[in-house]
Amino acid sequence: MSETVKINSISKLHDFFGYPDKPTHPLITLIDFSKIDLNTIKSGTRKIFNFYSIALKKVKGAGVIYGRKDYDFSEASLLCMAPEQLSIVTDIEKDAFMEGWGLYFHPELIRSNPLNNKMKDYTFFSYNTNEALHLSGKEKNTLHSVLQTIQEEFSDKLDFYSHDLIVSNIEVLLNYCNRYYGRQFITRSHHSKGIVSQFEKVLFNYFESNQAKMNGLPSVKYCAEQLHLSPNYLGDLLKQETGKNAIDHIHYYLIEKAKNLLLNSSDSISEIAYDLGFEQRQSFSKLFKKKTGMSPKAYINSM
């Protein structure tokens, strides 16, 4: 297995890329990918960057792996990654090249800022590579304008206001990414409806094959894996398309299944709870009452 290179500082990031420009700030940088010679990077090198990254890139003549999945960057697309995620550049050809830009910032840059607590809400940092964002020309120009502002702030002489302006403009950039992902969900509505249908089929198959009885309730992670999606992307897609997140869908299907069993089965409530994946009747009754307003026994008596 090739060595794993872990990059923890902006200066080391520049060194790794063989980047000709020196860093102007210790915690943030904007990389012009066209200045990187891919042939200086050893093919198969496993790299882990301790940064948040927002990158619009196009790669020719080289393979790219993020996590465990190959990704085709032959068409420019935006990919956001959180710190500590693995990536590999493979099969680098002699005339390989990369273009685009990458904004990298260390978690310490936002540690004391309210943005630090909001980062979990930017769920696209945990999307799979096949869920990258494809931008229109106008959207690219908008992001580029924000990037220029950020770069000007960390490249010029820093003053009392610099840090807040850098971080606030990063938040603007992230909010635009949120908007554009929302647009992508809408413009791919036909595709999204297909995924909703497939998701419902996954739930149907799970409960009908008695997997719930053997393995417990289906998790969002399990359902996403069956659809070859990341859990966050599946949840965001379902929320955009149906107004309910993935766990809401699972609970809805579960409760509908439970209602049918409570009214049409001779099994006890405890047996039904066990068949649906609950270890204890109390947990089933609590969820059922939360979703329907009545206990399983009261539901049976009301019919």
Side-chain angles (χ1 to χ4, degrees), residues 13-22 29-36:
L13 178 71
H14 278 232
D15 291 342
F16 175 82
F17 282 138
Y19 201 62
D21 301 337
K22 296 298 181 183
T29 190
L30 182 63
I31 297 291
D32 179 352
F33 291 136
S34 67
K35 294 182 179 182
I36 296 175

Side-chain angles (χ1 to χ4, degrees), residues 192-208 218 222-224 226-227 234 237-238 241-242 244-246 248-250 252-254:
S192 299
K193 286 182 170 62
I195 291 177
V196 173
S197 177
Q198 293 173 46
F199 176 64
E200 293 171 347
K201 187 175 181 179
V202 167
L203 293 178
F204 174 84
N205 290 337
Y206 190 89
F207 284 102
E208 292 304 312
Y222 167 83
C223 296
Q226 302 308 300
L227 299 172
L234 175 61
L237 183 151
L238 290 170
E241 194 65 32
T242 69
K244 297 187 294 185
N245 62 29
D248 289 336
H249 277 271
I250 292 173
Y252 175 81
Y253 190 95
L254 173 71

Side-chain angles (χ1 to χ4, degrees), residues 4-18:
T4 300
V5 178
K6 191 167 184 178
I7 309 296
N8 292 314
S9 70
I10 292 296
S11 61
K12 292 294 184 183
L13 178 71
H14 278 232
D15 291 342
F16 175 82
F17 282 138

